[in-house]
Amino acid sequence: MKFGKDFRNHLEETLPAWRDKYLAYKALKKLIKNLVPPHPAAAPPLPPPPPAPAPAAAEGPGAGAVAAAQGNVDLGNWFARILDAELHKLNEFYIEREEWYVIRLQVLKERIERVKAKKNDAFTSRSEFTEEMLEIRKDFVIIHGEMILLQTYSSLNFAGLVKILKKYDKRTGGVLSLPFTQRVRHQPFFTTEPLTRLVRECEANLELLFPVEAEVLEPSSSSNLEPHDVARFFHGEDGEACSGAITSESSLSDSSTDSQIQDAGKDDKEVQSNSREQNAAQGGQNCRRPTDE
């Protein structure tokens, strides 16, 4: 009962366009409840395909058991066809969303490349850069959230199928659960490795673009964002573009761009520190010279 309630609550809270794409858990549960458990002397509750004529050897005390076993097989095949239709629905929606996320991530990476290609003086104001970066970040966050939701879609529907199969076996005395579950494990909606790689790629881009969110994105700090800081964010100190392009390969395996961004900040601090030390030394020499003379 608890799973059914959780499943219903999730459907109410998910994206409206997704609600009819989930497993028809409530309808399947009601269908199983209305099934009449097979009886040795009774035919299956639902019309199976026309049975073949029973051989003469089957007539006798064991004929009822044979008929019951055949009835279970026919009923199991009928129910499996219903579940196959549900699998088709789940796979079709999952593949469609996964392909859309691949395309969408590529579009976002191309937007980033266009921003990187701008000249140092391309941003005429601090707010222009901040707004553009906020829009890119917003799109990344939205697509990341939807991909996490699709992962939940996969796990929740798989759990629902397992529950339905167990209820069916318990109600009918069948053995459909094990073979059908093994089939489900090879379905596209259950194979989430490619989606997991997309999620990690999205997270890597977010970390690379916004290593210190407060310094780049927060409105309170936007007033401190100068045009030369914008250039440094996407370029080296000498004005040349950084080598780390944001792609599926480099975002996961190459952190050179991130290191260059961090090194740029360290260089500024070292320059400021060296300058203070030189000034202090010169001041000390000036103080000693009158005494020496």
Side-chain angles (χ1 to χ4, degrees):
M1 177 64 72
K2 187 177 185 300
F3 177 82
K5 184 178 180 180
D6 291 342
F7 195 94
R8 184 173 63 253
N9 291 340
H10 180 80
L11 286 182
E12 293 174 355
E13 296 172 359
T14 194
L15 298 174
W18 290 31
R19 289 173 184 167
D20 62 342
K21 309 300 182 183
Y22 280 78
L23 178 73
Y25 182 81
K26 184 177 180 180
L28 290 170
K29 184 178 175 182
K30 184 177 181 180
L31 179 62
I32 293 172
K33 186 177 181 181
N34 291 333
L35 291 178
V36 178
H39 189 273
L46 295 168
E59 297 178 358
V66 173
Q70 182 62 41
N72 264 345
V73 171
D74 294 336
L75 181 61
N77 291 337
W78 170 80
F79 193 71
R81 289 195 296 270
I82 294 177
L83 294 183
D84 281 338
E86 289 295 297
L87 284 181
H88 177 75
K89 177 180 67 176
L90 300 178
N91 288 331
E92 187 176 42
F93 177 73
Y94 183 91
I95 293 172
E96 174 190 335
R97 297 310 303 172
E98 188 178 59
E99 290 177 350
W100 189 88
Y101 295 138
V102 171
I103 296 172
R104 186 59 183 159
L105 274 177
Q106 182 61 36
V107 170
L108 286 176
K109 290 186 289 186
E110 290 175 358
R111 284 180 60 187
I112 295 171
E113 293 300 327
R114 287 196 296 270
V115 173
K116 290 174 62 177
K118 289 184 177 181
K119 302 296 184 180
N120 291 356
D121 57 352
F123 296 101
T124 58
S125 65
R126 295 187 298 268
S127 61
E128 180 185 354
F129 169 74
T130 303
E131 290 174 4
E132 187 164 359
M133 293 304 298
L134 282 172
E135 284 298 320
I136 294 176
R137 182 185 185 277
K138 178 182 176 182
D139 290 341
F140 267 114
V141 170
I142 290 174
I143 193 174
H144 180 269
E146 286 196 14
M147 288 191 293
I148 296 298
L149 185 60
L150 191 61
Q151 288 180 322
T152 304
Y153 173 91
S154 171
S155 59
L156 191 62
N157 283 306
F158 176 76
L161 277 169
V162 171
K163 291 279 187 181
I164 289 297
L165 288 165
K166 288 182 178 179
K167 289 179 183 297
Y168 171 84
D169 283 358
K170 183 177 180 180
R171 181 69 174 173
T172 65
V175 289
L176 185 60
S177 182
L178 180 60
F180 202 90
T181 300
Q182 291 176 342
R183 281 185 54 201
V184 172
R185 292 181 183 276
H186 298 284
Q187 298 299 312
F189 90 92
F190 184 77
T191 310
T192 59
E193 286 81 3
L195 178 62
T196 300
R197 288 195 293 268
L198 291 176
V199 171
R200 290 174 179 171
E201 179 179 344
C202 184
E203 292 171 349
N205 278 282
L206 280 170
E207 292 177 2
L208 182 64
L209 286 172
F210 310 100
V212 182
E213 180 177 335
E215 293 183 4
V216 179
L217 296 175
E218 291 297 331
S220 60
S221 63
S222 62
S223 59
N224 297 326
L225 192 63
E226 298 294 342
H228 66 272
D229 294 326
V230 174
R232 187 188 307 147
F233 188 81
F234 285 114
H235 299 79
E237 288 294 332
D238 55 359
E240 295 181 357
C242 296
S243 59
I246 303 175
T247 62
S248 57
E249 292 81 6
S250 64
S251 61
L252 295 177
S253 62
D254 186 4
S255 60
S256 61
T257 305
D258 194 23
S259 300
Q260 290 175 349
I261 294 171
Q262 295 175 355
D263 291 341
K266 292 179 180 179
D267 291 343
D268 287 345
K269 293 180 180 179
E270 291 176 358
V271 170
Q272 294 174 0
S273 177
N274 292 337
S275 177
R276 286 195 297 267
E277 291 176 358
Q278 292 176 359
N279 292 337
Q282 291 177 358
Q285 292 175 0
N286 293 336
C287 291
R288 290 193 300 268
R289 285 175 182 172
T291 304
D292 296 337
E293 291 175 358

